[in-house]
Amino acid sequence: QALGEIATTIESTFGKQFLEVRTYKTKAKNAQEAHEAIRPTHASTRHAGTTDDEKKLYSLIWERTVASQMKDAKLRRSKVTANIANSQETIPDFSVTGSIVTFQGWLMADPDARGDDVVLPELSVGDPLHLLTLQSIEKQTQPPSRYTEAGLIKELEKREIGRPSTYASIISTIEDRGYVEKINKALHP
């Protein structure tokens, strides 16, 4: 019933070309089956909730539910390299790497899933580019953040130093001997 309703919603909202009804199965024969995933009770209800957090959560659930029944998005990785035409000076090439969307697919329902991926327009070799804006951004490298007690224990586990029963005594010893002091939960030497 839910899959039928989701399919109807996809067809009416995005079009039939985006629909691909899928059923998911476990790969292991003896796997314990879980309960049905969280989903909207009515796929046609696009927005719900009273507070901002509730609205954001419902929107996320709706987008992921609907996207799970849509065709795959098709992207083409590309690199665009450009330079100034007829320049008297030697100027290094400007380049950007990103993706060109050839078919939106499930990105129509969940556009935020792209993350920080750079979207490039469809270009051909030799196409002139026009400068719209120019920004100069100064970036400074930041040192790694200080360890907290939990972060130090995680690092000890990762490097297989000590045993879980000794982690608390390690932390108290380095604090008692004055090797570190705790400032705003961070351990400073």
Side-chain angles (χ1 to χ4, degrees):
Q1 182 181 355
L3 290 176
E5 189 178 333
I6 293 168
T8 304
T9 301
I10 291 170
E11 283 184 25
S12 64
T13 307
F14 305 109
K16 193 172 180 87
Q17 71 272 22
F18 291 97
L19 177 64
E20 183 176 309
V21 177
R22 304 169 190 232
T23 53
Y24 297 94
K25 297 181 181 179
T26 57
K27 291 183 171 84
K29 280 193 292 185
N30 58 353
Q32 180 179 352
E33 294 294 327
H35 296 287
E36 182 178 0
I38 295 173
R39 64 169 176 84
T41 52
H42 301 288
S44 57
T45 306
R46 180 75 190 254
H47 303 285
T50 53
T51 66
D52 281 343
D53 286 342
E54 288 174 355
K55 289 176 183 177
K56 287 178 188 173
L57 179 61
Y58 183 84
S59 179
L60 176 69
I61 293 168
W62 187 91
E63 289 169 356
R64 298 287 168 92
T65 301
V66 171
S68 73
Q69 298 300 309
M70 295 177 74
K71 288 188 177 176
D72 290 335
K74 293 181 180 153
L75 307 170
R76 187 174 71 233
R77 297 289 298 163
S78 282
K79 181 177 182 179
V80 176
T81 304
N83 208 323
I84 299 172
N86 304 325
S87 174
Q88 303 298 326
E89 301 176 36
T90 305
I91 298 174
D93 290 339
F94 296 96
S95 66
V96 64
T97 303
S99 299
I100 297 171
V101 178
T102 58
F103 179 70
Q104 286 278 0
W106 57 266
L107 286 172
M108 291 288 286
D110 192 6
D112 295 336
R114 282 194 68 120
D116 295 333
D117 190 26
V118 177
V119 180
L120 298 175
E122 189 73 49
L123 296 170
S124 298
V125 176
D127 282 354
L129 301 177
H130 303 285
L131 179 64
L132 299 177
T133 60
L134 184 64
Q135 289 180 319
S136 177
I137 300 172
E138 180 180 2
K139 292 192 176 184
Q140 305 245 341
T141 57
Q142 296 292 322
S145 58
R146 300 277 181 195
Y147 284 115
T148 60
E149 286 184 11
L152 183 57
I153 290 171
K154 189 174 181 181
E155 188 68 24
L156 290 171
E157 287 175 344
K158 188 172 101 179
R159 295 181 185 222
E160 298 179 355
I161 298 171
R163 299 182 315 279
S165 61
T166 62
Y167 293 149
S169 64
I170 290 172
I171 299 293
S172 66
T173 301
I174 62 173
E175 286 178 358
D176 292 343
R177 291 186 183 170
Y179 296 151
V180 295
E181 61 178 327
K182 200 185 298 186
I183 302 171
N184 294 333
K185 295 185 179 181
L187 301 174
H188 289 261

